[in-house]
Amino acid sequence: MRPRIRSTLLAVLLLAVAGSLILAPSAFASFFTPKSGGSPNADQINSLYKIILCIAAFVAVVVEGALFYSLLRFRAKRSRFAAQIHGNTPLEISWTVAAALILVVLTVVTFVKLPSIINPPNSNASASFLTASVTEPSPPNGKKLTICVQGRQYIWRYTYGNGCLDNSFNSKLPYSYQVMYVPANTTVVLDIQSTDVIHSWWVPQLGGKVDAVPGYTTYTWFKAPRSGAIYNGQCAQLCGRQHAYMTAAVRVLTPSRFAQWLTSQQQLIKTANSQVTKLRALLTATGNLTPQP
Ligand SMILES: [Cu+2]
């Protein structure tokens, strides 16, 4: 193929790819910016990102524009020599000051936004609450739902309610795997731990990612306003062979529906536990299981 035809074909292909991306709004929605819409902290991360992106884009356009202008305007010509300038004090002072000012603006904007990303807000009046702990991040009025998140190769386990941190596996607290159920408009605080290697909790629409580190407890929070919504996430730390299957989902229910779910989940766990006890007794009686010491 001739080089000219090949480059034309390549240009057409690139244009087609760019065009299809631009014309597919849903695919393009979070192409440049972080996902948001599920929780106020995710929205604040998104707006901070956009402010910084705009400033960075402006700097890129000015710098690249000056570069290309200079390349074209002052390119070497047979009969002409470019002006040989060595040092321009006003110009050098102004671009140093401008760069410092941009950094100051970025710092101020970031510190103004940070509290709304880090500190959880109050739950709405209609919300349901299970805990009031003093060790975790708390909304101003202290009313929140605590869920303990345990990462293990290769699944997420969620234990609901006060005291889950002390006794996640042995207590009678309700728990679920993979899909987390939460009430709408309630400030949900997550206490995150790992039982084996480092994992990372990340549901992009509900805020930033937080590592689950063995031996430590890390925290995050979200407050999802839309009941019926489902937010998907994925362990964001390469944690082993089946890492890709370590997905997470957060399902938002109305507070009353959540209370129902919690009760039925407790009942299901109780039934399953009693069935296991019966089965264990039967297997032991028939000589198929060694009695536990
Ligand atoms: Cu993992």
Side-chain angles (χ1 to χ4, degrees), residues 151-156 197-200 234-240 243 246:
R152 64 162 99 161
Q153 288 170 316
Y154 299 94
I155 200 163
W156 294 106
V197 299
I198 298 178
H199 301 275
S200 189
Q234 164 75 47
C235 174
Q237 183 73 256
L238 184 58
C239 57
H243 161 70
M246 195 165 164

mmCIF file of all heavy atoms in Angstrom, residues 151-156 197-200 234-240 243 246, ligand 1:
data_model
loop_
_atom_site.group_PDB
_atom_site.id
_atom_site.type_symbol
_atom_site.label_atom_id
_atom_site.label_comp_id
_atom_site.label_asym_id
_atom_site.label_seq_id
_atom_site.Cartn_x
_atom_site.Cartn_y
_atom_site.Cartn_z
ATOM 1 N N GLY A 151 -12.181 -7.821 53.537
ATOM 2 C CA GLY A 151 -11.691 -8.343 52.275
ATOM 3 C C GLY A 151 -10.976 -9.648 52.540
ATOM 4 O O GLY A 151 -10.243 -9.773 53.520
ATOM 5 N N ARG A 152 -11.227 -10.630 51.715
ATOM 6 C CA ARG A 152 -10.435 -11.854 51.775
ATOM 7 C C ARG A 152 -10.391 -12.417 50.363
ATOM 8 O O ARG A 152 -11.268 -12.133 49.551
ATOM 9 C CB ARG A 152 -11.032 -12.859 52.752
ATOM 10 C CG ARG A 152 -12.402 -13.363 52.365
ATOM 11 C CD ARG A 152 -12.730 -14.630 53.094
ATOM 12 N NE ARG A 152 -13.578 -14.373 54.235
ATOM 13 C CZ ARG A 152 -14.305 -15.329 54.820
ATOM 14 N NH1 ARG A 152 -14.271 -16.556 54.383
ATOM 15 N NH2 ARG A 152 -15.076 -15.039 55.828
ATOM 16 N N GLN A 153 -9.335 -13.191 50.096
ATOM 17 C CA GLN A 153 -9.209 -13.736 48.737
ATOM 18 C C GLN A 153 -10.386 -14.680 48.472
ATOM 19 O O GLN A 153 -10.476 -15.704 49.146
ATOM 20 C CB GLN A 153 -7.900 -14.490 48.598
ATOM 21 C CG GLN A 153 -6.686 -13.545 48.570
ATOM 22 C CD GLN A 153 -5.390 -14.294 48.686
ATOM 23 O OE1 GLN A 153 -5.274 -15.211 49.505
ATOM 24 N NE2 GLN A 153 -4.408 -13.943 47.899
ATOM 25 N N TYR A 154 -11.332 -14.443 47.630
ATOM 26 C CA TYR A 154 -11.505 -13.324 46.723
ATOM 27 C C TYR A 154 -12.950 -12.868 46.823
ATOM 28 O O TYR A 154 -13.700 -12.967 45.875
ATOM 29 C CB TYR A 154 -11.181 -13.740 45.274
ATOM 30 C CG TYR A 154 -9.735 -14.204 45.175
ATOM 31 C CD1 TYR A 154 -9.419 -15.552 45.290
ATOM 32 C CD2 TYR A 154 -8.708 -13.275 44.992
ATOM 33 C CE1 TYR A 154 -8.100 -15.960 45.220
ATOM 34 C CE2 TYR A 154 -7.386 -13.698 44.905
ATOM 35 C CZ TYR A 154 -7.094 -15.030 45.031
ATOM 36 O OH TYR A 154 -5.801 -15.436 44.969
ATOM 37 N N ILE A 155 -13.317 -12.412 48.007
ATOM 38 C CA ILE A 155 -14.716 -12.018 48.210
ATOM 39 C C ILE A 155 -14.783 -10.936 49.290
ATOM 40 O O ILE A 155 -13.891 -10.823 50.135
ATOM 41 C CB ILE A 155 -15.568 -13.267 48.598
ATOM 42 C CG1 ILE A 155 -17.053 -13.013 48.350
ATOM 43 C CG2 ILE A 155 -15.309 -13.704 50.042
ATOM 44 C CD1 ILE A 155 -17.891 -14.286 48.315
ATOM 45 N N TRP A 156 -15.837 -10.124 49.235
ATOM 46 C CA TRP A 156 -16.079 -9.115 50.274
ATOM 47 C C TRP A 156 -17.182 -9.618 51.190
ATOM 48 O O TRP A 156 -18.196 -10.116 50.738
ATOM 49 C CB TRP A 156 -16.525 -7.791 49.653
ATOM 50 C CG TRP A 156 -15.489 -7.105 48.824
ATOM 51 C CD1 TRP A 156 -15.455 -7.029 47.459
ATOM 52 C CD2 TRP A 156 -14.351 -6.372 49.290
ATOM 53 N NE1 TRP A 156 -14.367 -6.296 47.058
ATOM 54 C CE2 TRP A 156 -13.673 -5.880 48.159
ATOM 55 C CE3 TRP A 156 -13.837 -6.074 50.556
ATOM 56 C CZ2 TRP A 156 -12.514 -5.115 48.251
ATOM 57 C CZ3 TRP A 156 -12.694 -5.312 50.649
ATOM 58 C CH2 TRP A 156 -12.039 -4.843 49.497
ATOM 59 N N VAL A 197 -4.465 -10.742 52.486
ATOM 60 C CA VAL A 197 -3.519 -9.827 51.824
ATOM 61 C C VAL A 197 -4.162 -8.451 51.687
ATOM 62 O O VAL A 197 -5.301 -8.253 52.101
ATOM 63 C CB VAL A 197 -3.125 -10.371 50.430
ATOM 64 C CG1 VAL A 197 -2.446 -11.712 50.545
ATOM 65 C CG2 VAL A 197 -4.344 -10.460 49.523
ATOM 66 N N ILE A 198 -3.449 -7.512 51.095
ATOM 67 C CA ILE A 198 -4.024 -6.172 50.913
ATOM 68 C C ILE A 198 -5.041 -6.192 49.768
ATOM 69 O O ILE A 198 -4.749 -6.651 48.667
ATOM 70 C CB ILE A 198 -2.926 -5.130 50.610
ATOM 71 C CG1 ILE A 198 -1.943 -5.036 51.776
ATOM 72 C CG2 ILE A 198 -3.536 -3.753 50.346
ATOM 73 C CD1 ILE A 198 -0.793 -4.072 51.535
ATOM 74 N N HIS A 199 -6.243 -5.725 50.075
ATOM 75 C CA HIS A 199 -7.270 -5.524 49.053
ATOM 76 C C HIS A 199 -7.579 -4.032 49.017
ATOM 77 O O HIS A 199 -7.057 -3.271 49.830
ATOM 78 C CB HIS A 199 -8.545 -6.294 49.400
ATOM 79 C CG HIS A 199 -8.334 -7.771 49.545
ATOM 80 N ND1 HIS A 199 -8.359 -8.628 48.477
ATOM 81 C CD2 HIS A 199 -8.082 -8.528 50.637
ATOM 82 C CE1 HIS A 199 -8.135 -9.865 48.906
ATOM 83 N NE2 HIS A 199 -7.963 -9.826 50.224
ATOM 84 N N SER A 200 -8.451 -3.627 48.110
ATOM 85 C CA SER A 200 -8.822 -2.210 48.087
ATOM 86 C C SER A 200 -10.299 -2.068 47.759
ATOM 87 O O SER A 200 -10.763 -2.545 46.721
ATOM 88 C CB SER A 200 -7.962 -1.473 47.061
ATOM 89 O OG SER A 200 -8.168 -0.086 47.189
ATOM 90 N N GLN A 234 -15.128 -2.920 42.406
ATOM 91 C CA GLN A 234 -14.164 -3.974 42.110
ATOM 92 C C GLN A 234 -12.988 -3.800 43.055
ATOM 93 O O GLN A 234 -12.572 -2.670 43.307
ATOM 94 C CB GLN A 234 -13.719 -3.794 40.648
ATOM 95 C CG GLN A 234 -12.477 -4.505 40.231
ATOM 96 C CD GLN A 234 -12.720 -5.991 40.051
ATOM 97 O OE1 GLN A 234 -13.698 -6.389 39.417
ATOM 98 N NE2 GLN A 234 -11.865 -6.808 40.631
ATOM 99 N N CYS A 235 -12.462 -4.876 43.593
ATOM 100 C CA CYS A 235 -11.245 -4.779 44.400
ATOM 101 C C CYS A 235 -10.182 -4.107 43.525
ATOM 102 O O CYS A 235 -9.950 -4.529 42.397
ATOM 103 C CB CYS A 235 -10.777 -6.157 44.850
ATOM 104 S SG CYS A 235 -9.190 -6.105 45.704
ATOM 105 N N ALA A 236 -9.588 -3.032 44.045
ATOM 106 C CA ALA A 236 -8.695 -2.228 43.216
ATOM 107 C C ALA A 236 -7.222 -2.473 43.536
ATOM 108 O O ALA A 236 -6.364 -1.656 43.252
ATOM 109 C CB ALA A 236 -9.031 -0.748 43.385
ATOM 110 N N GLN A 237 -6.942 -3.598 44.182
ATOM 111 C CA GLN A 237 -5.552 -3.922 44.501
ATOM 112 C C GLN A 237 -5.316 -5.360 44.023
ATOM 113 O O GLN A 237 -6.057 -6.258 44.441
ATOM 114 C CB GLN A 237 -5.362 -3.834 46.017
ATOM 115 C CG GLN A 237 -3.958 -4.064 46.496
ATOM 116 C CD GLN A 237 -3.051 -2.905 46.190
ATOM 117 O OE1 GLN A 237 -2.251 -2.987 45.266
ATOM 118 N NE2 GLN A 237 -3.161 -1.825 46.927
ATOM 119 N N LEU A 238 -4.321 -5.548 43.169
ATOM 120 C CA LEU A 238 -4.060 -6.896 42.661
ATOM 121 C C LEU A 238 -3.751 -7.811 43.840
ATOM 122 O O LEU A 238 -2.735 -7.660 44.507
ATOM 123 C CB LEU A 238 -2.885 -6.856 41.686
ATOM 124 C CG LEU A 238 -2.546 -8.174 40.993
ATOM 125 C CD1 LEU A 238 -3.736 -8.717 40.216
ATOM 126 C CD2 LEU A 238 -1.352 -8.020 40.093
ATOM 127 N N CYS A 239 -4.695 -8.738 44.155
ATOM 128 C CA CYS A 239 -4.592 -9.466 45.419
ATOM 129 C C CYS A 239 -4.385 -10.966 45.205
ATOM 130 O O CYS A 239 -4.415 -11.732 46.158
ATOM 131 C CB CYS A 239 -5.826 -9.207 46.267
ATOM 132 S SG CYS A 239 -7.368 -9.632 45.449
ATOM 133 N N GLY A 240 -4.178 -11.378 43.984
ATOM 134 C CA GLY A 240 -3.943 -12.794 43.738
ATOM 135 C C GLY A 240 -4.568 -13.246 42.433
ATOM 136 O O GLY A 240 -5.074 -12.425 41.657
ATOM 137 N N HIS A 243 -8.190 -12.237 41.514
ATOM 138 C CA HIS A 243 -8.480 -10.827 41.817
ATOM 139 C C HIS A 243 -9.611 -10.263 40.953
ATOM 140 O O HIS A 243 -10.470 -9.512 41.435
ATOM 141 C CB HIS A 243 -7.194 -10.025 41.629
ATOM 142 C CG HIS A 243 -7.402 -8.559 41.465
ATOM 143 N ND1 HIS A 243 -7.823 -7.751 42.492
ATOM 144 C CD2 HIS A 243 -7.264 -7.748 40.379
ATOM 145 C CE1 HIS A 243 -7.923 -6.504 42.050
ATOM 146 N NE2 HIS A 243 -7.589 -6.483 40.785
ATOM 147 N N MET A 246 -13.140 -10.463 42.217
ATOM 148 C CA MET A 246 -13.468 -9.884 43.523
ATOM 149 C C MET A 246 -14.265 -8.592 43.327
ATOM 150 O O MET A 246 -13.759 -7.485 43.528
ATOM 151 C CB MET A 246 -12.191 -9.638 44.328
ATOM 152 C CG MET A 246 -12.471 -9.394 45.783
ATOM 153 S SD MET A 246 -10.990 -9.545 46.753
ATOM 154 C CE MET A 246 -11.527 -8.763 48.263
HETATM 155 CU CU CU B 1 -8.778 -8.184 46.444
#
